[in-house]
Amino acid sequence: MAEPWRDRARRAVEWNWRLRSAGDPRPHYVICGKDALAYYVARAMLESELPTGGARVTVVVPERYRSNGPDVAALRGVRVVRSDRLDVATFEAAGLAGASGLALLHQDDVGNLHAALCAQAVDQRVRQVLRMFNGTLADGVRKLLKASVEVLSDAEMAAPAFVAAALGEVDPSSFQHRDKTLRVARRADVRPQDVVCALAHLTEAQGVELLPAEQAGADLVLAEATGQPPGTEVAARRLVRARRRRRPVAVLLGAVRGFATRKIGVAVMLVLAVIAVLGALISRTEGASPLEALYLTLVTTLSGADPDTTKPAGAQIMQVVLNLAGLALIPLITAVVVDGIVNARLALHTGQLQPARVGHVVLIGLGNVGTRVMAQLREYDVEVVAIDKDPEPRGAALARQLEVPLIVGDAALPETLVAASVADCQALVVASTDDVANLEAALAARDLRGDLRVVLRFFDGDFAERVEETFALGVSRSVSYLAAPAFIGALTERAVITTIPVDRHALPVAEVPVAAGSELDGRPLDMVNRDGQVRLIARTPAGGGKTIWWKDLDPRQVIFAGDRLTVVARRRGLDWLTRQCAPPAPGRTPMPQGHVGSTPRPVPTPAAPARPAGPASVPGGQQGSPPGPSDREVAASAPGAAHPVSPPRSPTAGAVPSPQSADGGHWPVEPDDDTGVRDEPDASAARSG
């Protein structure tokens, strides 16, 4: 039987890809995933400006899947391999042998481990980056795999941002590097001598200005932790102290309301009303006192009475009706008792029977992210009430361990939110994986309380932007966008220490080694800082010397090969610094700053005046070409430079003029594209790539 034409076409395309990739000097990365994290990692790898001129990216996705956000398979420039199993055959079809890195980004710890073992059978030297939630399993994977492996948890990275938004504070990002612990804080909350660098300046007119040149006017700073608790911890302690006593009357009324169903309660009330009316009429006809009337009514209702034919007809009719009401009351009382016991057991099992709370945090969704958020809130001693549709979600065991009540039900229903006391809570954190369900729960909570602080998790960036504009619903966070820089750094072997979320942006903190013969080898330290892009905070000398921190850094110090530079940067700035610290490609002439290969790159400097021509040597050996400004002059002449321009260095062999536009000025600065709208980057930025 002839081979189907679809199979022949697929094999032809794969063969063409292999021919095209043969001899391609660019590094090859294989990314396995289908959600937003895989999208951001793949897009960043396509846009990365590596020393070799970029990267080749192969994405492995299931045959049929539904994307709950940006679709990684829709990215232009990636090779797509569709397979439902991550086995040896799939990795061979993806060209894993000889690849520079493999990212396993599915939300399945065991599945990622199995895929890592299969990849190890294809190529033991490929670097692997795994996404895992289980910390114990992650430690075992590091020991089990023979290949170079990095295991990361996106939920653990993003949880502090959700906690900070819920408590109305800045992100409590703190990390330890070398011998110091650094944290993000407001400038007013830290001492001036503890400020490491300015992170952002927040203005209503211009929005967020990252890594500003004016250090003193920044609102958010990176500071050294000196024993003073961060703002988020202070807010949590204040919340615990201000928590009012629980109201016992409200608790009792809530228990009574939940004891029986509405229909049985209405029937009981009607029967009691009939008994009360008839008892009052009998007492009036017989002229009895109130206590005697109550006695006659109860005895007649519950046990009946001897017939008396001498009574008036009206009294006899009332006695008969009263006996009938008594017959109806006894089974109703039995039904109330049985129904109340059953409802109580169900309510205790599902968490619906909860006492009234004040000042707590309601958490919807106990998945990977919700579980981390719950754990961190409990570390701050903040009371938490969790809601989930699944009776046994991922974080159910930890919730029982931390004594966090779990309400099983639909968070979009008002009765579920009332059971969690949403009207009196501190904040509502919606962390489930369904955008529509998250929006429904947020709107239902706003109906109960208009000024409620809501923290939303969204996957689709365009949807998040429109919801923000239309409904004005609190803050939204993207787990994938906050964690993507760390996965990218691990995949490209960059030492990304942490990622600092600032509004819609993410600033990676990384340690970059300086290679011998690189552009920064032998240059002064002030060449590293670029306003709005890169800020140097520490330098570790070659040979493992003591780290020199920001207080003791001298911009005139010379950078040597083997030094490790710790910086806070935007993604474009980190790409630039990586190129400057990379060794020169074999057989290629080193290019000056502002170039990648032979393509000019923007240099963030103002237009420079014409300089007198002077002799300069070029690759071709010709003399007399006008030299461009040196790298040191470019950095020092940039807006906000803190140091004057030192005397220019003598021209060196291989120097070429800096890129200039047609009118003699420098190339314009490209906008940075590491921003994201709430949960995801701006939709237009995602489309522009």
Side-chain angles (χ1 to χ4, degrees), residues 147-463:
S148 176
V149 62
E150 191 75 27
V151 184
L152 303 175
S153 172
D154 56 332
E156 185 176 1
M157 298 175 192
F162 285 85
V163 174
L167 299 180
E169 293 291 331
V170 298
D171 186 274
S173 298
S174 62
F175 61 94
Q176 187 171 3
H177 179 57
R178 303 295 179 180
D179 56 342
K180 291 188 181 297
T181 301
L182 307 179
R183 65 186 179 94
V184 181
R186 294 188 177 97
R187 178 175 287 276
D189 297 337
V190 296
R191 300 180 303 177
Q193 60 268 30
D194 296 332
V195 176
V196 178
C197 70
L199 293 179
H201 180 54
L202 309 176
T203 59
E204 295 183 0
Q206 300 179 353
V208 180
E209 181 184 0
L210 297 179
L211 303 177
E214 183 61 34
Q215 300 282 311
D219 300 304
L220 294 181
V221 297
L222 183 65
E224 181 182 4
T226 57
Q228 181 181 0
T232 306
E233 187 172 348
V234 173
R237 293 177 181 177
R238 184 171 61 248
L239 176 62
V240 173
R241 288 196 301 267
R243 187 181 303 154
R244 299 194 298 267
R245 293 182 177 180
R246 297 174 180 173
R247 296 165 290 184
V249 176
V251 174
L252 179 60
L253 292 177
V256 171
R257 286 195 303 266
F259 191 72
T261 61
R262 183 181 180 88
K263 293 181 179 180
I264 295 180
V266 171
V268 171
M269 295 300 294
L270 289 176
V271 172
L272 290 178
V274 171
I275 293 174
V277 171
L278 293 176
L281 293 176
I282 291 176
S283 65
R284 291 187 63 180
T285 57
E286 296 186 1
S289 64
L291 292 178
E292 292 175 346
L294 178 62
Y295 169 75
L296 291 175
T297 303
L298 292 178
V299 170
T300 305
T301 302
L302 299 178
S303 62
D306 295 334
D308 189 356
T309 57
T310 62
K311 288 183 178 181
Q316 293 179 3
I317 294 174
M318 288 188 292
Q319 188 178 21
V320 171
V321 175
L322 194 59
N323 287 329
L324 293 176
L327 294 176
L329 181 62
I330 293 175
L332 283 176
I333 293 176
T334 305
V336 168
V337 173
V338 174
D339 189 59
I341 294 175
V342 173
N343 287 341
R345 291 179 63 88
L346 292 176
L348 290 174
H349 178 71
T350 60
Q352 297 287 346
L353 189 59
Q354 294 294 330
R357 290 178 168 84
V358 176
H360 58 292
V361 174
V362 177
L363 174 63
I364 298 176
L366 278 187
N368 293 349
V369 179
T371 302
R372 298 290 187 185
V373 172
M374 176 184 65
Q376 290 199 10
L377 287 172
R378 292 304 297 142
E379 287 179 2
Y380 291 142
D381 201 23
V382 176
E383 192 174 9
V384 181
V385 176
I387 302 175
D388 202 294
K389 292 181 178 180
D390 187 359
E392 285 295 326
R394 179 183 287 270
L398 182 60
R400 288 190 291 267
Q401 181 180 350
L402 298 177
E403 298 182 353
V404 173
L406 173 60
I407 299 176
V408 179
D410 188 357
L413 299 178
E415 53 267 26
T416 305
L417 298 176
V418 169
S421 302
V422 168
D424 298 320
C425 71
Q426 168 79 6
L428 173 67
V429 180
V430 188
S432 71
T433 57
D434 189 343
D435 284 358
V436 176
N438 290 349
L439 179 58
E440 290 178 350
L443 293 176
R446 276 294 178 87
D447 289 339
L448 296 177
R449 178 180 163 192
D451 61 343
L452 178 63
R453 181 187 297 123
V454 180
V455 183
L456 283 171
R457 176 187 181 186
F458 277 130
F459 285 86
D460 193 302
D462 182 67
F463 185 47

Side-chain angles (χ1 to χ4, degrees), residues 46-121:
L46 290 173
E47 297 173 352
S48 62
E49 298 168 355
L50 302 175
T52 53
R56 293 184 292 117
V57 178
T58 299
V59 175
V60 181
V61 296
E63 288 282 356
R64 296 178 181 85
Y65 68 97
R66 178 181 177 272
S67 178
N68 196 19
D71 188 3
V72 62
L75 282 172
R76 298 183 61 182
V78 301
R79 177 194 174 198
V80 179
V81 175
R82 299 186 179 272
S83 176
D84 292 329
R85 288 181 55 85
L86 296 179
D87 51 14
V88 174
T90 300
F91 288 129
E92 289 178 348
L96 182 63
S100 300
L102 168 66
L104 300 172
L105 306 180
H106 286 290
Q107 294 187 3
D108 182 3
D109 290 359
V110 177
N112 288 339
L113 174 58
H114 178 259
L117 295 174
C118 293
Q120 184 176 263

Side-chain angles (χ1 to χ4, degrees), residues 157 160-161 164 169-173 183-186 197-203 207-212 218-222 475-478 481-483 485 498-509 568-570 674-679:
M157 298 175 192
E169 293 291 331
V170 298
D171 186 274
S173 298
R183 65 186 179 94
V184 181
R186 294 188 177 97
C197 70
L199 293 179
H201 180 54
L202 309 176
T203 59
V208 180
E209 181 184 0
L210 297 179
L211 303 177
D219 300 304
L220 294 181
V221 297
L222 183 65
V475 185
S476 56
R477 289 284 183 261
S478 167
Y481 184 67
L482 295 176
T498 187
T499 301
I500 301 175
V502 179
D503 193 60
R504 306 178 184 182
H505 310 263
L507 296 176
V509 181
V568 182
R570 303 183 76 173
D674 60 352
T675 62
V677 176
R678 307 297 178 263
D679 181 56

